[in-house]
Amino acid sequence: MHATRFLLAASLLPLAAPVARAQQPAADTAQLHPVVVTATRVSVSQAASVASTTVITGSELRARGITTVQDALRDVPGIDVPRTGSFGGQTSLYVRGGQGDYTQVLVDGVPVNDPGGFIDLANLTTDDVERIEVVRGPASVLYGANAVTGVIQIFTRRGSGPLRASLAAGGGSYGAREVRGAMGAGSDRAGFALAAAHHGTDGIYAFNSAARNNVFDASARVAPDARTALRASARYIDAAAHIATDFTGAVIDSNQFHTERRWIGSVEGSRRFGDRLEARVLLGATNGATRDADLPDSPGDPCFCYDAPKTTYRRSVDARLSWSLSPDIVLSGGAVAERQRQHAGSDAPLSRDLRAYYAQGVGTVRDVLSWVVGARVDDNSAFGTFGTWRAAAAWRVAPGTSVRASVGTAFKEPTFDQVSSTSPFARGNPDLRPERARSWDAGVEQRVARGALTLAATYFHQRFRDMIQYDAAPSDSVAQRYPADAVPNYFNVAAALADGVELEARVSPSPRWSATASYTRLRTTVVDAGVDGGPTAPLVTGAPLLRRPAHAASLALAVRPADRVRLHADASYVGRRADANFADGTRVEDPAYTLVALAAELDVLRRAAGVPSLTLTARLDNALDERYDAIFGFRSPGRMLLAGARLEW
């Protein structure tokens, strides 16, 4: 039923394409690949990248009316972003079947993840975003812990050209409202960008469902001379979500809420010494303050209430030298120092220090073969020394045809709680090791008509070991190895496999229209569940990992039938997936669902001397009003219309 609906939506989207064909440019128009830096930290064309990458531009996101990173990632192959119910609910990130804390998320080079990898995408917006780069595959060599199945890096706007300013506002279903403002300017020598946004909604439930998110961005850059550059950027998030559901999804709670205040800042400097040597230093800082609370509904309420504030703190410095051994080979070496700290509730603050050293070589051979090799050693004060490595190559076997392969290792550091908790319900284990992964992938890409059509296929295989699992009642044989008052509840005992195929197609024969399609076949298997806790346990031997769809597909179409009109249509299909019903303690299967979104922009006024441009915008999410649960028991939003206007000076 749902697969049929997706195929029907997919068959209708291309009908809009002929509208634009009459204005199609000459057939020899070349399509340029964007430059990516996240995969190797060296600028290379996406066409020459040896990793599986996806680049999403900020202009594309704004034209499609997408305001959250979770929605921006829905069409990326190999990624699933389920949310618990209404807007502002916890949003997980699964890349290629890995755990929700196996992907490093960066803003201008600075990790957003908490120490230990936890990431909630609920409050990460696309405001002031210049582009998003998605790298699938192990990346611990360059990004350390938690970059197990991939890296997602968000680059904010830098400010260029004459002074520009914009103001946008809109509203719609579920009491949605948003206001955004931005300004910036710059030259080759200096630039700045400022932005602020407010997003709010009444939510999908009748009570205790409102959410808000205020976002502020600022950046400045200066280049005193042609060899020196310095850039500083900062993002501040102030968000809150009222949560009407309990842990089963039942709508029964009037006083539960979650708040988040997070500051992310970076200062990056670079200096070239001659034509071959470059030095770069990145200073990063993240402060996060969250509060999860469920307060009594009335005096004497016998609920299982709680109030759990937590602050996290990360400070880092990453310094590296890059030496161009020849025009085709770049060697890099760097060192990282980081301090992590967490303070939860009334517990004593916890901290740990990291030192890391890495080296990488990137090269090409006669524009036919591209290669990357790298290695890294991390030394953490909590769990000791750990090494990772990666090797990858891409070979252009014929004009327009390339094959690539990569293999590497990665690791996820334990959380503070897993190592150091002294809670009566969960005692940490100071002997924990990092979770480990070994991965490989291989793919082929075919470009036709100078890139007007691109077809790609990738197979990936990953093995996760030493996965940390909670054991509420350790066995006597385990307990006797520890003092009676210090028996831990966390152990490296589990293992799992994840493999699959990613298929992609991109067609863009004209600036007037383009289409992209993707399909992912994913298989996950728990090899060793360690402590099998029953049907609702996250890991059950022989079963798939929870909430990972075996099949997923997407189709997106962008059409510009006239100079003043831009149209977008997206369809995404999420297949059936294993889940847990916490209401009755059984394992269930979530039904498949298909979501269709439509967006339009109409330029009413064009910018002229002293007169701003005026653009009307509209987006219709879940256009078919699909009734679905992204996570079992948690109802997701129905059809939602958001309309607005944007002024630009």
Side-chain angles (χ1 to χ4, degrees):
M1 173 66 180
H2 294 279
T4 302
R5 178 174 286 194
F6 174 78
L7 292 174
L8 176 61
S11 66
L12 293 176
L13 296 186
L15 295 180
V19 177
R21 289 192 183 118
Q23 302 179 56
Q24 188 171 314
D28 62 353
T29 300
Q31 302 297 314
L32 300 179
H33 284 264
V35 170
V36 297
V37 300
T38 304
T40 61
R41 300 182 77 172
V42 176
S43 297
V44 296
S45 165
Q46 187 179 14
S49 175
V50 297
S52 296
T53 62
T54 300
V55 179
I56 309 168
T57 65
S59 58
E60 175 190 352
L61 294 172
R62 287 181 281 277
R64 295 168 62 188
I66 291 176
T67 58
T68 65
V69 171
Q70 56 186 283
D71 286 338
L73 298 176
R74 292 188 189 281
D75 294 338
V76 178
I79 292 184
D80 189 43
V81 283
R83 182 179 62 203
T84 54
S86 189
F87 309 103
Q90 182 173 320
T91 306
S92 301
L93 172 61
Y94 302 126
V95 177
R96 286 185 169 179
Q99 299 285 70
D101 49 10
Y102 276 10
T103 304
Q104 189 81 288
V105 179
L106 311 168
V107 174
D108 291 328
V110 179
V112 183
N113 309 60
D114 287 346
F118 174 78
I119 182 71
D120 180 4
L121 294 182
N123 299 319
L124 206 52
T125 71
T126 60
D127 297 301
D128 206 41
V129 168
E130 183 174 276
R131 71 183 188 279
I132 300 175
E133 294 183 4
V134 181
V135 177
R136 300 181 293 281
S140 284
V141 165
L142 293 178
Y143 298 100
N146 316 320
V148 178
T149 56
V151 174
I152 296 170
Q153 180 152 206
I154 299 163
F155 294 90
T156 58
R157 283 191 281 196
R158 302 175 64 85
S160 61
L163 180 64
R164 301 282 294 272
S166 66
L167 179 65
S173 308
Y174 301 114
R177 60 269 181 195
E178 60 179 32
V179 179
R180 301 186 305 275
M183 65 184 301
S187 64
D188 292 340
R189 297 292 297 272
F192 79 96
L194 300 171
H198 167 77
H199 306 271
T201 174
D202 295 336
I204 67 175
Y205 302 118
F207 63 92
N208 198 39
S209 188
R212 64 161 176 81
N213 193 355
N214 300 318
V215 182
F216 305 90
D217 285 284
S219 70
R221 59 181 176 84
V222 61
D225 55 58
R227 296 179 179 271
T228 308
L230 182 69
R231 182 177 188 254
S233 67
R235 166 170 285 210
Y236 179 71
I237 300 168
D238 179 9
H242 294 268
I243 304 169
T245 52
D246 66 4
F247 69 99
T248 71
V251 186
I252 61 173
D253 208 312
S254 299
N255 287 318
Q256 186 181 185
F257 62 88
H258 169 81
T259 64
E260 177 181 1
R261 292 182 176 88
R262 189 173 300 274
W263 179 78
I264 308 160
S266 67
V267 176
E268 183 173 22
S270 65
R271 172 70 179 177
R272 295 196 64 87
F273 301 94
D275 296 330
R276 294 194 172 191
L277 185 63
E278 182 186 45
R280 284 186 175 270
V281 177
L282 174 65
L283 306 177
T286 305
N287 278 23
T290 61
R291 183 185 178 194
D292 292 283
D294 189 358
L295 305 180
D297 293 332
S298 61
D301 183 4
C303 74
F304 180 73
C305 298
Y306 57 88
D307 192 349
K310 182 176 73 172
T311 60
T312 57
Y313 164 108
R314 300 181 72 165
R315 296 291 186 271
S316 63
V317 55
D318 185 337
R320 73 180 188 273
L321 290 173
S322 296
W323 180 39
S324 298
L325 184 63
S326 71
D328 298 323
I329 299 176
V330 178
L331 304 179
S332 301
V336 178
E338 181 174 329
R339 162 62 65 92
Q340 302 176 354
R341 189 170 67 193
Q342 174 181 295
H343 188 192
S346 59
D347 294 342
L350 303 171
S351 64
R352 60 193 183 196
D353 296 312
L354 164 72
R355 300 290 185 271
Y357 308 92
Y358 61 91
Q360 177 185 256
V362 178
T364 60
V365 179
R366 298 180 180 178
D367 293 327
V368 173
L369 177 68
S370 301
W371 56 268
V372 174
V373 294
R376 177 181 176 120
V377 175
D378 284 78
D379 183 18
N380 191 294
S381 61
F383 56 78
T385 303
F386 200 86
T388 53
W389 57 270
R390 179 173 179 263
W395 178 31
R396 191 179 67 178
V397 297
T401 305
S402 62
V403 296
R404 56 179 172 74
S406 69
V407 60
T409 60
F411 74 101
K412 190 201 83 69
E413 63 185 355
T415 67
F416 276 109
D417 291 337
Q418 290 169 342
V419 175
S420 306
S421 174
T422 56
S423 162
F425 306 104
R427 180 171 288 274
N429 184 350
D431 297 328
L432 283 178
R433 303 180 304 276
E435 300 185 20
R436 297 186 292 167
R438 183 182 294 251
S439 309
W440 67 272
D441 64 22
V444 59
E445 181 176 282
Q446 178 66 55
R447 300 177 64 205
V448 181
R450 302 184 65 184
L453 172 64
T454 301
L455 303 173
T458 302
Y459 172 79
F460 60 88
H461 184 278
Q462 304 165 111
R463 178 177 177 86
F464 311 125
R465 296 182 292 167
D466 288 341
M467 299 172 71
I468 298 170
Q469 191 174 27
Y470 174 79
D471 187 353
S475 65
D476 292 340
S477 61
V478 172
Q480 67 184 7
R481 300 202 300 265
Y482 300 90
D485 61 346
V487 178
N489 296 108
Y490 295 100
F491 303 92
N492 295 97
V493 290
L497 296 174
D499 68 337
V501 174
E502 297 165 349
L503 305 178
E504 300 176 77
R506 300 183 295 273
V507 57
S508 182
S510 159
R512 291 288 184 176
W513 74 278
S514 62
T516 62
S518 70
Y519 166 76
T520 302
R521 172 69 170 96
L522 174 66
R523 179 179 60 184
T524 63
T525 305
V526 177
V527 177
D528 185 349
V531 182
D532 191 335
T536 59
L539 304 177
V540 175
T541 300
L545 294 169
L546 295 183
R547 300 170 184 166
R548 275 65 153 190
H551 303 274
S554 69
L555 177 64
L557 178 68
V559 180
R560 191 169 184 174
D563 288 344
R564 293 174 179 260
V565 180
R566 293 171 294 279
L567 305 175
H568 290 264
D570 304 274
S572 59
Y573 168 79
V574 177
R576 294 177 294 177
R577 54 230 176 269
D579 210 335
N581 181 354
F582 291 100
D584 62 12
T586 61
R587 183 160 286 221
V588 296
E589 185 177 72
D590 293 327
Y593 62 90
T594 297
L595 299 179
V596 175
L598 306 173
E601 288 190 322
L602 172 63
D603 294 332
V604 178
L605 297 174
R606 297 249 175 114
R607 186 170 57 248
V611 179
S613 66
L614 172 63
T615 301
L616 301 181
T617 63
R619 179 175 171 87
L620 184 63
D621 278 317
N622 194 2
L624 303 181
D625 202 22
E626 179 89 324
R627 301 298 179 180
Y628 71 101
D629 294 353
I631 294 176
F632 184 83
F634 291 85
R635 177 165 64 90
S636 294
R639 183 184 294 116
M640 178 179 178
L641 175 64
L642 186 68
R646 182 174 66 245
L647 290 169
E648 294 182 290
W649 290 268

